[in-house]
Amino acid sequence: MAPPLSRRSLLQTAALAVAAPAVSLAPTARAAAAVAEAPAATAAPAAWTVQPFALDQVTLGQGVFADKRKLMLDHARGYDVNRLLQVFRANAGLPTADAVAPGGWEGLDGEANGNLRGHYTGHFITMLAQAWAGTGEQVFADRLRTMVGALTEVREALRKDPVVLSTAGRFGTAAENVRGSYQYVDLPSGVLGGTSAVTLSAWVKPTHDGNWARVFDFGDNTTRYMYLAARNADGVPRFAITTSGPGAEQGLNGTAALPLNQWSHLAVTIAGGTGILHVNGTEVARNTAMTLTPAALGTPVNNWLGRSNYAADPVFAGAYDEFNIWSRALTAAEITELQSGRATDSSAGRGDLAAYAFDETSGGTFADASGRNLTATLRRTWGGPSHAGFLAAYPETQFIDLESRTSSDYTKVWAPYYTAHKILRGVLDAYLATDDARALDLASGMCGWMYSRLSKLPESTRQRMWGLFSSGEFGGIVEAVCDLHAITGKAEHLALAQLFDLDRLIDSCAANTDILDGLHANQHIPIFTGYLRLYDATGERRYLDAARNFWDMVVPHRMYGIGGTSTGEFWKARDVIAGTISATTAETCCAYNMLKLSRTLFFHDQAPKYMDYYERALYNQVLGSKQDKADAEKPLVTYFIGLTPGHVRDYTPKQGTTCCEGTGMESATKYQDSVYFRKADGSALYVNLYSPSTLTWAEKGLTVTQTTNYPREQGTTLTLSGGSAAFELKLRVPSWATAGFRVTVNGRAVSGTPTPGGYVTVSRTWRGGDVVRIAVPFRLRVEKALDDPSLQTLFYGPVNLVGRNSATGYLELGLYRNAGLSGDLLPSLTPVTGKPLHYTLNGTEFAPFFEGTEDPTHAYFRRAEPGVVFGNTDSGVANPARSDGTTLLDEIWAGAPFGGKSALLARVRSTVDAWVTAGLLGAADGRTVVRTAERATFAA
């Protein structure tokens, strides 16, 4: 009997054959309950006629994939995970260990103020899970447990009222507001006491230079208020009071910015029509025309330290030590005295209206020492989550705003359910990789929270939400929720997955109506992988039909040669390729998600086109998106791969931590996920990719080792070891493999003629020691842009070759000059000695796209065959063309391969005769062309 699959083995089988976990860490009560609800063993979907192997069942051998993965594994080992956790801990008001959040999209200062923060952490957790499954290195499991533990603490903190974060103060302890926590101190009503003379004094240590963050703000709204801002629009402190809105403010402005991360003392006095602002004991502003006092405000409703009555203003980030309010104006001497000690030890004494020392080290309240017992309370601006399962690195407000939003504004709401998906996927992968029940509890809790929100919304609201560009993007959340449902069996989880139906998209694609023009590409690609999983769970046919038809709308109709799609993140009209090439083509996330969709479609329908595409995108865009360089701080993955002439790849896009860097981390740790598949009944083994690797097929008691340097080697060898088993070995014949595909088993040729774009099947009882050798000869070929046949890209076997040239216009190249009888264009290029897959042509070096360099590259070139040349013999005759651009040489070489020179000459003569008859070529020139071909010498 085959040994049971480990939890790590289940990671790549989409959570579809799950046994109750053997918990290695003490679970919480909720975690234990979630585990108890899981069915003992759920089978793979009946619709999956083919299933993948887990990452820990396929080991990468040495080669281009292992080299790229090593760079990413080094990054995964070394990057400080506390930096990724910083935004989560800050949101929950927890200590952040002084960690600095990653830049770009993952911090509060990046694009759109970090409204996507948390997404990158989810990607990183998935990378760690895949790294652990693929390598077995304990460091990755340890890091996973650290991150899951931290997120568990974050969720617990979010469930409760905020708790004081104590820090070293000016005189003792102080209360810290971590930036991103949205916490402030709420003082009781009546704190100002209706006084007509006042002194307000505070020690503050700002940690961020955001303008208009309030030290305090007392008021009812944006009409009646009194505030002190640490920085105004000019970056200096400002005090203001008004009963008639901002246009009527009576104010005091400082003269210099408060230093960050240092204690500063601020004091404001008002009495007798004069207001004075002191900074660190020095008067910096005086207004002798101040007619307003706190008495004019009455009894303000909002009495806040750190929060503004203007909702758009930032919350004060930093620490508070003493805050005092006196019902008189302190003298300059008294204010100076406050610089050297606590108020209680000064001649002024504690404030008689309010006095907070912030000496508390626990709890969520602050004692008032004024004698008025005005206990203050620590609060969040957004209150707290609507459900105990909420887990995010920002408040729930983005989700709430989306429900009423009718237009997209990513500076306000930036794909909150997309971010939720990345976190959910990460913790789910962590559970599958490590059996950590806390991770399952986090995943189940998140889905419970999402269901509690979405199930209450009218269907029309959800349809509007999911149709919004960017704001309504939800990524692959449906797939993740379906995977969780396969573990828990909870009806609520399946119901949640269906709440993400985007009916207009599903119904149009199911009817094979192409509506992709103008849509945001990566917002929609992962949706269909999720809908396939919904088909698995529900049997609803429209999900499957929609996914199949959608794929066909992208491949090849919106696909560049490298397998990528989209320009500037969006799709244009069908079959427009040349017309969409730009510096922002081929968003890397799109390729990642098209690979996921292709493999999932293959599980339902073993159409070779899916694995042909998989090879194309994997060996070109995905490999080429990772720079061949080590970096401790960055994964070095492209966002876009521009296909314009002379484009230089940017491996540190948008300040880092983009969606594509996240998926890039995942891609680089699962290169082996589709090398082998098995039939659901175990009757066949599919070899989809020729990649150095070892498969442990425990159910058969066999190990299959694939030895190759593919694609630098034009073939591969499979060696079996272990016991014996009868099954069909299915070897993929790439659609480009037109130069012959040969298979031998133990030295004997397998009969039959392999069909490019199919599978060769070898059926026998396999035994340890069997050796299968596969020869896959490469040819150099071109692929033409659908809308401009003269714009072409060059392939050698599966490898896209790009010119390295700094020119910013399309290179003009001719390739027929020395074409071989086989139709191979390679003889027209010159190999570079010592550099496999490198060639030169017309002074330009051509190299594999997958090499992650910073050379200026030309993925597309302009085909130029001005004269009729055979075997480097020039006829002197111009190469004529039809109205559609097809040239005489195109038509001649379309007959390749040729069995010999005589067959080629016959093709030349018949084609020339047809062109002369059609009036496209003069008779004399035709005879010259034929004579030239007769004299020429051709490569095989």
Side-chain angles (χ1 to χ4, degrees):
M1 178 180 291
L5 293 177
S6 68
R7 181 69 61 190
R8 288 170 54 209
S9 297
L10 295 168
L11 177 63
Q12 291 302 299
T13 56
L16 295 172
V18 183
V23 180
S24 54
L25 297 172
T28 64
R30 283 180 56 85
V35 171
E37 292 174 358
T42 53
W48 282 25
T49 52
V50 161
Q51 300 173 13
F53 289 94
L55 288 181
D56 66 344
Q57 294 173 291
V58 182
T59 304
L60 278 181
Q62 288 303 308
V64 62
F65 289 110
D67 292 344
K68 295 269 189 179
R69 185 180 71 167
K70 181 181 183 302
L71 296 170
M72 195 62 78
L73 291 177
D74 288 344
H75 176 70
R77 293 184 193 96
Y79 193 81
D80 181 6
V81 297
N82 285 307
R83 296 187 62 189
L84 297 164
L85 294 166
Q86 194 271 350
V87 289
F88 284 90
R89 286 169 168 156
N91 188 47
L94 294 174
T96 62
D98 295 324
V100 177
W105 291 356
E106 198 60 23
L108 283 161
D109 295 313
E111 188 172 357
N113 303 311
N115 281 346
L116 213 64
R117 60 191 183 274
H119 81 116
Y120 196 74
T121 302
H123 284 297
F124 200 93
I125 294 172
T126 290
M127 174 180 66
L128 291 176
Q130 292 175 171
W132 164 236
T135 69
E137 292 184 33
Q138 188 63 37
V139 63
F140 300 123
D142 292 343
R143 306 198 102 203
L144 280 171
R145 291 190 172 97
T146 295
M147 297 188 78
V148 167
L151 292 178
T152 300
E153 293 172 359
V154 164
R155 190 183 66 175
E156 288 300 314
L158 287 170
R159 290 175 172 180
K160 302 173 182 176
D161 291 332
V163 175
V164 62
L165 184 59
S166 181
T167 187
R170 176 66 176 81
F171 300 112
T173 60
E176 183 176 11
N177 279 354
V178 176
R179 184 164 180 250
S181 68
Y182 299 91
Q183 292 181 178
Y184 66 100
V185 180
D186 187 16
L187 307 183
S189 176
V191 65
L192 294 177
T195 185
S196 58
V198 72
T199 299
L200 302 105
S201 162
W203 279 100
V204 293
K205 183 170 72 172
T207 57
H208 186 257
D209 58 1
N211 292 344
W212 299 114
R214 303 297 203 255
V215 175
F216 60 74
D217 196 335
F218 301 94
D220 297 322
N221 44 44
T222 56
T223 300
R224 300 171 64 84
Y225 53 77
M226 177 179 73
Y227 70 78
L228 175 62
R231 292 171 60 93
N232 64 4
D234 296 321
V236 299
R238 173 174 172 78
F239 170 83
I241 184 170
T242 181
T243 57
S244 302
E249 286 185 356
Q250 299 177 8
L252 298 161
N253 291 321
T255 56
L258 298 182
L260 296 181
N261 302 306
Q262 294 181 30
W263 286 104
S264 294
H265 183 260
L266 299 171
V268 176
T269 64
I270 301 176
T274 297
I276 303 173
L277 172 64
H278 292 80
V279 177
N280 293 323
T282 300
E283 179 181 321
V284 297
R286 177 182 289 257
N287 185 340
T288 58
M290 295 192 72
T291 61
L292 296 175
T293 70
L297 299 178
T299 305
V301 175
N302 304 323
N303 302 279
W304 296 331
L305 303 185
R307 182 179 179 182
S308 170
N309 274 288
Y310 287 85
D313 289 340
V315 177
F316 177 80
Y320 283 89
D321 202 330
E322 292 200 335
F323 179 73
N324 286 275
I325 306 177
W326 290 268
S327 60
R328 65 183 180 87
L330 269 60
T331 65
E334 287 175 314
I335 291 174
T336 299
E337 189 180 356
L338 292 174
Q339 310 306 302
S340 57
R342 291 180 177 270
T344 188
D345 298 324
S346 72
S347 59
R350 298 187 179 100
D352 61 319
L353 293 180
Y356 302 99
F358 299 108
D359 288 334
E360 291 82 357
T361 58
S362 62
T365 59
F366 302 100
D368 170 34
S370 70
R372 300 177 69 203
N373 296 318
L374 299 177
T375 301
T377 305
L378 190 63
R379 303 193 191 280
R380 299 187 186 98
T381 61
W382 57 284
S386 63
H387 184 280
F390 176 76
L391 176 64
Y394 48 66
E396 198 173 357
T397 49
Q398 278 205 57
F399 298 91
I400 297 168
D401 189 334
L402 178 61
E403 293 169 6
S404 59
R405 181 164 289 277
T406 57
S407 61
S408 184
D409 181 351
Y410 84 137
T411 66
K412 302 285 174 41
V413 178
W414 192 4
Y417 284 96
Y418 173 95
T419 307
H421 162 242
K422 301 308 175 188
I423 301 167
L424 172 63
R425 182 77 263 174
V427 295
L428 183 57
D429 287 343
Y431 167 66
L432 293 168
T434 64
D435 288 346
D436 191 336
R438 298 173 302 174
L440 178 61
D441 187 40
L442 290 173
S444 187
M446 287 188 72
C447 288
W449 155 68
M450 284 187 279
Y451 184 77
S452 74
R453 290 209 69 87
L454 295 176
S455 63
K456 295 180 177 66
L457 299 178
E459 183 178 351
S460 59
T461 299
R462 295 196 305 273
Q463 296 296 326
R464 173 179 48 75
M465 286 164 55
W466 308 145
L468 281 176
F469 158 62
S470 186
S471 295
E473 183 174 358
F474 55 79
I477 199 165
V478 177
E479 178 193 19
V481 175
C482 286
D483 288 350
L484 179 63
H485 172 253
I487 297 171
T488 66
K490 293 179 68 173
E492 178 183 285
H493 293 157
L494 181 57
L496 171 62
Q498 292 182 289
L499 294 177
F500 290 94
D501 279 6
L502 181 52
D503 289 337
R504 175 175 175 268
L505 181 69
I506 298 171
D507 294 341
S508 295
C509 289
N512 207 18
T513 301
D514 189 331
I515 62 167
L516 303 190
D517 187 5
L519 291 184
H520 183 247
N522 196 54
Q523 182 167 348
H524 295 86
I525 298 170
I527 291 177
F528 286 96
T529 303
Y531 290 158
L532 277 173
R533 295 288 290 109
L534 268 178
Y535 166 73
D536 297 336
T538 67
E540 192 170 331
R541 181 77 188 193
R542 70 174 187 143
Y543 293 129
L544 176 62
D545 291 342
R548 283 174 169 165
N549 292 337
F550 167 81
W551 191 94
D552 286 330
M553 294 171 192
V554 177
V555 182
H557 302 289
R558 293 177 172 86
M559 181 192 76
Y560 303 105
I562 58 172
T565 185
S566 79
T567 183
E569 299 193 7
F570 288 82
W571 282 308
K572 302 300 182 184
R574 186 181 179 108
D575 294 330
V576 178
I577 301 300
T580 61
I581 287 176
S582 72
T584 57
T585 35
E587 184 186 355
T588 304
C589 276
C590 294
Y592 164 90
N593 280 309
M594 283 298 295
L595 290 183
K596 290 190 75 171
L597 177 59
S598 298
R599 74 193 297 265
T600 309
L601 281 166
F602 193 88
F603 298 152
H604 298 83
D605 174 10
Q606 287 73 64
K609 64 182 180 181
Y610 298 130
M611 284 298 108
D612 265 349
Y613 173 81
Y614 201 96
E615 179 186 65
R616 175 193 294 270
L618 180 66
Y619 275 89
N620 294 293
Q621 173 158 3
V622 171
L623 274 181
S625 67
K626 173 71 185 85
Q627 188 173 16
D628 297 330
K629 179 181 175 181
D631 192 289
E633 290 299 306
K634 301 289 184 185
L636 299 180
V637 176
T638 58
Y639 189 103
F640 299 113
I641 294 188
L643 300 178
T644 49
H647 180 80
V648 178
R649 293 176 207 167
D650 179 6
Y651 298 98
T652 54
K654 291 180 175 284
Q655 304 176 57
T657 64
T658 65
C659 52
C660 293
E661 288 167 291
T663 54
M665 292 190 298
E666 294 184 33
S667 290
T669 48
K670 63 168 186 175
Y671 288 136
Q672 73 271 41
D673 74 343
S674 296
V675 177
Y676 309 99
F677 294 153
R678 61 175 177 267
K679 252 192 170 178
D681 61 4
S683 63
L685 175 68
Y686 286 79
V687 182
N688 303 307
L689 301 173
Y690 301 119
S691 175
S693 54
T694 299
L695 165 67
T696 302
W697 195 0
E699 294 87 348
K700 297 292 186 183
L702 284 173
T703 298
V704 180
T705 301
Q706 186 174 174
T707 308
T708 182
N709 196 27
Y710 189 94
R712 297 187 176 102
E713 176 185 346
Q714 299 181 25
T716 189
T717 299
L718 304 175
T719 303
L720 283 75
S721 58
S724 64
F727 58 88
E728 294 178 339
L729 182 65
K730 291 183 173 292
L731 308 170
R732 189 175 68 87
V733 185
S735 58
W736 50 261
T738 57
F741 184 96
R742 299 181 299 278
V743 180
T744 64
V745 177
N746 299 330
R748 299 184 62 180
V750 173
S751 61
T753 303
T755 302
Y759 279 80
V760 166
T761 299
V762 184
S763 183
R764 56 178 278 143
T765 298
W766 299 92
R767 295 177 174 82
D770 285 344
V771 177
V772 180
R773 289 193 169 88
I774 304 157
V776 196
F778 294 0
R779 280 183 180 161
L780 189 71
R781 71 188 191 282
V782 297
E783 290 187 2
K784 303 175 182 179
L786 297 175
D787 52 333
D788 184 353
S790 71
L791 198 67
Q792 302 178 359
T793 186
L794 205 58
F795 278 86
Y796 188 49
V799 178
N800 185 232
L801 296 178
V802 294
R804 291 180 176 171
N805 190 306
S806 60
T808 55
Y810 286 114
L811 303 176
E812 293 191 354
L813 303 176
L815 298 170
Y816 288 138
R817 174 171 294 276
N818 197 27
L821 293 171
S822 65
D824 192 352
L825 302 173
L826 188 64
S828 294
L829 279 66
T830 302
V832 178
T833 303
K835 297 175 73 175
L837 299 177
H838 285 243
Y839 304 89
T840 60
L841 177 64
N842 295 353
T844 295
E845 182 176 7
F846 284 79
F849 189 98
F850 64 68
E851 293 185 353
T853 72
E854 294 178 291
D855 295 296
T857 60
H858 290 248
Y860 281 88
F861 62 91
R862 187 70 67 186
R863 188 67 174 271
E865 305 282 356
V868 178
V869 182
F870 294 108
N872 284 322
T873 303
D874 195 336
S875 69
V877 176
N879 184 24
R882 297 186 185 275
S883 59
D884 65 357
T886 302
T887 69
L888 174 68
L889 286 176
D890 289 335
E891 198 157 306
I892 289 171
W893 286 105
F898 301 109
K901 182 175 180 179
S902 60
L904 170 61
L905 292 177
R907 176 74 175 190
V908 171
R909 293 186 187 105
S910 63
T911 304
V912 165
D913 288 345
W915 281 59
V916 170
T917 300
L920 298 170
L921 180 68
D925 284 345
R927 289 191 294 272
T928 300
V929 168
V930 172
R931 286 196 301 271
T932 303
E934 291 171 343
R935 295 196 311 271
T937 300
F938 295 90

